[in-house]
Amino acid sequence: MLKLSRLTDYAAVVMAQIARHPQASHAAADLAEAVQLPHPTVSKTLKMLVKAGLLESQRGVQGGYRLARPASHITAADIIAAIEGPVAMTECSQAEGECDLAATCGVADNWQRVSLAIRTLLESVTLAHLADTTPIKLPVQLPIQSISLASA
């Protein structure tokens, strides 16, 4: 099964909570209470999101966590990459030369197309979309045939 880790799911939940109130600074304890997750888990997630440049933190009485850029400029791919690393289906679709079988496997090019299609979709979904309570309208079919690997 292909699925995201719980920590990545929690990161999206925490980021969406912050995005719903972008002008406020959010304390880790308050976020944990608001999203009903354990404080240590939220703290760990927040640190990873700060390290990835998606959140900014400020210490002190007026301190807390804020989005590093507007929610419309943070993508689902950004959140996933902050916790999991780059979005890729296989080693060879993440970076060239990473697989000893690439020259003989016969599927690397197609796996790269699938990875690129998934990345493209995840890059089209913003944190603003995720934070909104209305359902996201996604394309029914991705144009995999039109994806050029040269632009990846």
Side-chain angles (χ1 to χ4, degrees), residues 51-110:
K51 185 177 179 184
L54 301 181
L55 293 178
E56 296 174 342
S57 67
Q58 183 177 347
R59 293 180 182 257
V61 178
Q62 300 297 326
Y65 294 88
R66 300 177 84 129
L67 298 178
R69 54 188 187 265
S72 60
H73 293 105
I74 297 172
T75 69
D78 294 331
I79 297 168
I80 293 167
I83 308 300
E84 309 267 350
V87 175
M89 297 297 295
T90 61
E91 281 296 321
C92 67
S93 59
Q94 182 176 343
E96 285 190 43
E98 293 289 323
C99 178
D100 296 334
L101 299 176
T104 59
C105 76
V107 296
D109 199 41
N110 285 326

Side-chain angles (χ1 to χ4, degrees), residues 4 8 12 54 71 74-82 87 119 121-127 130:
L4 299 174
T8 300
L54 301 181
I74 297 172
T75 69
D78 294 331
I79 297 168
I80 293 167
V87 175
R119 259 193 322 275
L121 177 62
L122 291 171
E123 288 168 355
S124 74
V125 176
T126 68
L127 176 58
L130 294 175

Side-chain angles (χ1 to χ4, degrees), residues 33-45:
E33 184 178 329
V35 299
Q36 297 293 295
L37 290 171
H39 185 272
T41 302
V42 170
S43 292
K44 177 180 178 179
T45 304

